[in-house]
Amino acid sequence: MARKPKRKELFALGNEAVVEGALLAGCSFFAGYPITPSTEIAEGMAAKLPQLEEGVFVQMEDEIASLGAVIGASLAGRKAMTATSGPGFSLMQEHIGYACMAEVPLVIVNVMRGGPSTGLPTNPAQGDVQQARWGTHGDHPIIVLSASDVQECLHMTIAAFNFAEKYRTPVILLLDEVTAHTREKIVLPRPEELTIINRTIPTMPPEWYVPYEETMRGVPPMPPLGSGYRYHVTGLTHDEHGYPTSKANEISALMHRLFRKIDQFFYDIQLVEEVETEDAEVVVVAYGCVARSAKLAITQARESGCKAGLLVLKTLFPFPRTYVEKLARQCKKVIVPEMNMGQISREVKRVNNGLSRVVTINRVDGQIITPGEILKKIYKD
Amino acid sequence: MAKKKGETIVTVYPAWCKGCGICVNFCPGKVLEFDEHGKAYVARMEECIGCGFCELHCPDFAISVVAKDKKDNKNNSEHKDEGKN
Amino acid sequence: MVETTKLIHEYLRHSKKFPHVYCPGCGHGIVLGSIIRSVHHLGLSKDEVVLIAGIGCSGRMAVYVDFNTIHTTHGRALTFATGVKLANPKLKVIVVMGDGDALSIGGNHFIHAARRNIGVTALVLNNNIYGMTGGQSSSTTPENSYSTTTPYGHLERDFDVVNLALGCGANFVSRTTALHAQLMDKLLTKAIENPGFNVVEVLTPCFTQYGRKNKFKNVVEMYSWYRKNTIKVEKYKELPEEKRAGKIPIGVFSDKQEPGFEEKYGQLREKLRSKK
């Protein structure tokens, strides 16, 4: 019997795992600007992309330009990404809105550091969660993912590309400095083990192509530039042909389709991991590096006979409300530890809506939340 | 380009003309003038030397200058083009 | 005789409303005509041309013409163009920007695109003003002139687009005016064909927002001003220093054929792959 080839193992940083994940997902274009603590992603891409047949790495003059180039490359048919951290992420906001409006698939990795402003360049934080959701101006849907260990960095990067391509939307992967700079063993999946999704391209004759057509799925097919499907791309509110419009019915149709294409696939997008939640009376809801502290905390709590469970959020937005609501109904207490003043706990409280008690643990001092701190809240009434 | 007078036909499409006056003011033969609606019209076709300035500089693509003999040929060849397509 | 206007009509989007949105006499329409003639002259197909525009009056141009068109964000057209060109070097990328677009908010991208020598054509439609937002001063508004944000006269100095582009190392640097359409056709044709970063500055009058506030009676007078004050760069160089004041040289200022960034990147890829 032929044995399957052994999977390749690496001793890698979270940032390096992002590079591996991106390449496995089919990413062939990276534009970025150096910023701590995300720089290893750019460096990894700079080394690996030119070795690919069509790979391109370009260091742009700033983060605005980086995302601009990524949008251009994606319009030209590439799977494209950039990586940054807080201040750079702030600069990218305008182009995130453009990518939402023009429905350009792309991935942005934001390795969160302490803020606001220059803040704590080398310390972890989770302060960009609501910015990732609402940072760009105007009402818009978006997909935000997170990862809590190095192996997950790889898988969530692939998931980010898959969602971006499937739903023609920018996807933001939020990491934190701890996850990005932890070095541990990861296993590279074999390509045949992965599901890789590519954007749908139009197959009708070009003259029948309606670039922003209303369809059941809500995600119009997207041709690469130069393939015969000439159309107009704009950040202006547009009609289904892509031309600017100020007609109320056309504006409404576009806006509702943009939301619908994400909303109606909510169950496909909400990714979580449940740990010992079946009978849990206390549930910790965590994401990023804090989820690892929480894992140890609930293990210790279980050892001492306390029915504690953990919900790890891998998708942050659209907020995985069905899981949170189910657990809020079942348990007495929900604990939300996070390294900000309460950005996800706000969402948890909204969904919880009085079903159980929500307790928050917040740290904004550049230190991670320890298992002990979480354990203390689990035991405390 | 024809250099002799009277060998060209100048057409203004009034629907697209915004009456900016570039053609009226810069035409070396003073071929064009404003009509009562403020749009350019061909007042002295015979003075046209076919330099094409008005056509190149009409910001609204509202003027065409064609050679007289070409115009006749064009009418014939238009049908041929249709056949090709 | 080339039936210029009929040719242009073939390249316009027939689903769009004409005449276009520009004010009477605005040079932007002349530039659009020139782009179309240049593309046609080079025998390029509509599919291989990508027209990328920024925000402002010039940004509205992209929607009218039947190429692949991208209407980007304010000042960032060159960043999109960099991505497109690197992703698919076969495409001919033409970027249309205004002066505020290219040099104020987009100044950083402009200088770096020139330095990087990315293979795109950068058209700067310089009308010395922010037209669409109602006539505010831009980085090319001449000193002492009036705008809605400099009601007592402009105190700052203005950019010289050509010298800026030369300083940043652009391959091809040129200037024309909307009155010099034949020169514009020549420069654009050359720029689209040339490798690397190619700049064509077009002085184009904005009577509505600039001319009226600066003692021009009508748009035709602004065109006449171009005729009077521009001079071929070759002749300009022969002028003694004291006679150069107030004269605007037009023509070609730099004509290099250095390979574009995307070309060099392709060579790097080949080199790395041949080593394997």
Side-chain angles (χ1 to χ4, degrees):
Chain A
M1 206 169 85
R3 274 178 61 190
K4 281 182 183 172
K6 207 173 165 236
R7 292 186 190 88
K8 198 177 159 194
E9 288 175 356
L10 282 180
F11 188 54
L13 292 178
N15 280 342
E16 291 165 356
V18 168
V19 174
E20 297 297 335
L23 297 177
L24 283 168
C27 173
S28 66
F29 189 97
F30 184 101
Y33 186 81
I35 186 166
T36 306
S38 77
T39 311
E40 292 86 359
I41 301 175
E43 288 169 345
M45 286 302 204
K48 298 212 165 175
L49 280 173
Q51 298 183 28
L52 302 182
E53 196 176 341
E54 298 215 292
V56 178
F57 167 88
V58 58
Q59 182 173 325
M60 296 299 285
E61 52 273 18
D62 59 28
E63 286 87 349
I64 301 171
S66 302
L67 195 49
V70 166
I71 294 172
S74 182
L75 288 170
R78 299 299 193 92
K79 286 190 180 180
M81 74 175 292
T82 185
T84 188
S85 184
F89 191 58
S90 292
L91 285 178
M92 287 179 183
Q93 294 304 328
E94 186 190 13
H95 278 165
I96 293 175
Y98 187 96
C100 288
M101 187 56 123
E103 300 177 64
V104 185
L106 53 88
V107 172
I108 302 163
V109 180
N110 173 8
V111 183
M112 291 183 284
R113 65 191 221 188
S117 190
T118 314
L120 299 160
T122 55
N123 288 49
Q126 294 179 318
D128 304 350
V129 172
Q130 292 292 345
Q131 188 194 18
R133 175 62 193 89
W134 295 111
T136 193
H137 60 276
D139 231 347
H140 62 280
I142 194 123
I143 297 175
V144 183
L145 308 176
S146 73
S148 59
D149 63 37
V150 177
Q151 184 75 50
E152 215 169 85
C153 284
L154 182 144
H155 285 292
M156 292 314 287
T157 305
I158 297 171
F161 273 102
N162 281 348
F163 286 152
E165 295 284 318
K166 194 169 179 185
Y167 302 115
R168 278 189 69 173
T169 178
V171 176
I172 295 158
L173 175 59
L174 284 182
L175 303 180
D176 48 69
E177 193 271 341
V178 171
T179 312
H181 281 165
T182 297
R183 192 178 282 283
E184 56 191 353
K185 191 180 92 171
I186 59 165
V187 182
L188 292 190
R190 286 191 294 265
E192 67 272 16
E193 293 174 318
L194 295 169
T195 308
I196 301 298
I197 300 173
N198 298 316
R199 68 191 68 170
T200 318
I201 55 167
T203 47
M204 67 288 275
E207 55 274 32
W208 272 278
Y209 175 58
V210 180
Y212 294 98
E213 194 173 12
E214 182 77 14
T215 56
M216 286 285 279
R217 222 178 126 236
V219 188
M222 181 178 177
L225 292 172
S227 61
Y229 294 87
R230 296 187 302 277
Y231 71 112
H232 186 61
V233 182
T234 179
L236 284 168
T237 306
H238 44 270
D239 62 17
E240 59 177 11
H241 295 278
Y243 299 139
T245 181
S246 50
K247 289 183 187 140
N249 60 331
E250 288 173 352
I251 299 168
S252 171
L254 169 68
M255 291 301 289
H256 283 99
R257 182 175 60 74
L258 289 182
F259 276 89
R260 180 167 62 81
K261 75 174 181 181
I262 305 291
D263 286 346
Q264 72 186 7
F265 295 103
F266 173 73
Y267 290 97
D268 178 45
I269 300 167
Q270 65 166 354
L271 304 176
V272 298
E273 182 191 347
E274 287 184 275
V275 186
E276 312 221 32
T277 51
E278 310 79 47
D279 60 341
E281 289 167 359
V282 180
V283 171
V284 181
V285 178
Y287 55 98
C289 67
V290 180
R292 293 186 90 169
S293 297
K295 242 175 226 176
L296 184 59
I298 62 149
T299 311
Q300 288 171 351
R302 285 274 169 182
E303 280 164 9
S304 65
C306 174
K307 287 184 177 170
L310 168 65
L311 179 69
V312 181
L313 305 179
K314 297 183 181 185
T315 301
L316 298 181
F317 296 103
F319 188 67
R321 55 181 185 271
T322 50
Y323 286 97
V324 174
E325 192 185 334
K326 182 192 80 181
L327 293 173
R329 280 183 193 285
Q330 153 195 335
C331 69
K332 292 181 190 133
K333 184 163 74 176
V334 178
I335 301 171
V336 190
E338 51 185 338
M339 290 157 68
N340 56 48
M341 292 304 276
Q343 298 194 16
I344 277 292
S345 65
R346 195 178 279 255
E347 300 294 328
V348 173
K349 283 173 187 164
R350 206 148 62 105
V351 174
N352 181 63
N353 201 16
L355 291 170
S356 63
R357 200 148 55 85
V358 177
V359 179
T360 63
I361 304 173
N362 306 105
R363 271 195 99 145
V364 286
D365 56 357
Q367 304 302 310
I368 61 168
I369 295 172
T370 60
E373 282 173 88
I374 299 168
L375 205 55
K376 223 187 274 174
K377 289 277 180 182
I378 292 175
Y379 290 143
K380 202 178 162 192
D381 284 335
Chain B
M1 294 252 165
K3 283 280 181 249
K4 273 189 196 160
K5 283 182 187 176
E7 290 187 354
T8 41
I9 295 173
V10 183
T11 317
V12 179
Y13 313 120
W16 286 18
C17 174
K18 291 175 186 159
C20 67
I22 295 175
C23 56
V24 173
N25 282 278
F26 289 102
C27 173
K30 304 272 174 245
V31 173
L32 296 130
E33 280 185 17
F34 286 121
D35 66 11
E36 62 272 29
H37 305 293
K39 302 201 175 201
Y41 79 102
V42 184
R44 285 174 288 276
M45 181 84 86
E46 67 285 359
E47 293 295 318
C48 176
I49 56 163
C51 70
F53 182 95
C54 57
E55 188 172 34
L56 280 182
H57 291 83
C58 175
D60 294 289
F61 318 119
I63 305 179
S64 84
V65 183
V66 292
K68 263 183 189 166
D69 50 341
K70 271 272 174 68
K71 179 90 177 176
D72 300 336
N73 293 342
K74 179 79 184 169
N75 284 343
N76 297 334
S77 66
E78 259 168 12
H79 296 287
K80 276 183 210 158
D81 284 349
E82 274 168 29
K84 255 187 246 167
N85 291 335
Chain C
M1 184 185 288
V2 184
E3 295 179 7
T4 309
T5 296
K6 285 204 172 134
L7 172 80
I8 287 170
H9 292 176
E10 279 172 31
Y11 280 85
L12 298 178
R13 282 192 168 126
H14 296 175
S15 52
K16 291 304 295 177
K17 207 178 146 211
F18 282 92
H20 47 57
V21 70
Y22 298 122
C23 303
C26 174
H28 287 26
I30 302 175
V31 177
L32 177 56
S34 183
I35 294 173
I36 291 170
R37 288 191 297 272
S38 306
V39 166
H40 181 81
H41 181 78
L42 289 167
L44 302 172
S45 77
K46 291 175 181 175
D47 283 327
E48 61 188 314
V49 177
V50 186
L51 189 73
I52 304 183
I55 295 287
C57 292
S58 65
R60 289 300 177 107
M61 190 181 287
V63 79
Y64 290 112
V65 60
D66 189 18
F67 299 135
N68 304 287
T69 55
I70 310 176
H71 182 210
T72 68
T73 50
H74 194 25
R76 324 295 178 200
L78 281 171
T79 71
F80 284 59
T82 302
V84 169
K85 187 68 182 180
L86 281 167
N88 186 353
K90 284 183 200 131
L91 296 170
K92 294 284 180 189
V93 181
I94 304 169
V95 186
V96 181
M97 298 167 286
D99 45 312
D101 202 32
L103 301 164
S104 297
I105 188 165
N108 198 28
H109 309 308
F110 184 81
I111 61 176
H112 285 281
R115 176 188 61 77
R116 192 174 287 125
N117 207 20
I118 183 74
V120 305
T121 301
L123 255 165
V124 182
L125 309 194
N126 182 358
N127 59 7
N128 310 107
I129 203 83
Y130 284 91
M132 191 155 274
T133 46
Q136 297 78 24
S137 69
S138 81
S139 48
T140 59
T141 302
E143 210 171 336
N144 300 321
S145 59
Y146 299 93
S147 71
T148 56
T149 48
T150 55
Y152 310 110
H154 196 32
L155 302 178
E156 299 172 22
R157 290 173 297 179
D158 57 328
F159 265 134
D160 181 323
V161 181
V162 163
N163 282 337
L164 181 68
L166 288 173
C168 300
N171 260 5
F172 179 78
V173 181
S174 62
R175 181 191 283 134
T176 178
T177 83
L179 186 76
H180 299 82
Q182 273 172 324
L183 175 63
M184 198 191 308
D185 287 11
K186 225 165 78 186
L187 297 177
L188 258 175
T189 307
K190 167 82 181 144
I192 295 169
E193 228 184 0
N194 208 47
F197 192 70
N198 306 300
V199 179
V200 181
E201 181 194 10
V202 183
L203 303 178
T204 157
C206 178
F207 177 68
T208 311
Q209 304 293 8
Y210 181 79
R212 285 190 303 178
K213 296 184 193 76
N214 290 283
K215 300 195 178 94
F216 287 101
K217 284 199 209 84
N218 52 46
V219 72
V220 170
E221 213 177 71
M222 297 182 80
Y223 281 101
S224 302
W225 188 90
Y226 286 150
R227 178 167 277 182
K228 207 176 127 204
N229 292 291
T230 53
I231 176 171
K232 288 260 169 66
V233 59
E234 295 79 14
K235 284 191 183 159
Y236 180 82
K237 281 178 184 160
E238 289 167 10
L239 286 180
E241 199 72 41
E242 66 275 12
K243 286 197 175 164
R244 287 184 181 180
K247 290 282 177 204
I248 304 167
I250 55 171
V252 178
F253 297 79
S254 167
D255 187 5
K256 296 185 285 187
Q257 277 77 45
E258 288 171 20
F261 176 65
E262 73 289 349
E263 202 181 325
K264 285 164 91 174
Y265 203 88
Q267 288 163 357
L268 167 71
R269 269 193 310 241
E270 268 174 39
K271 205 173 97 187
L272 290 175
R273 286 169 65 78
S274 66
K275 270 188 194 166
K276 272 185 184 172

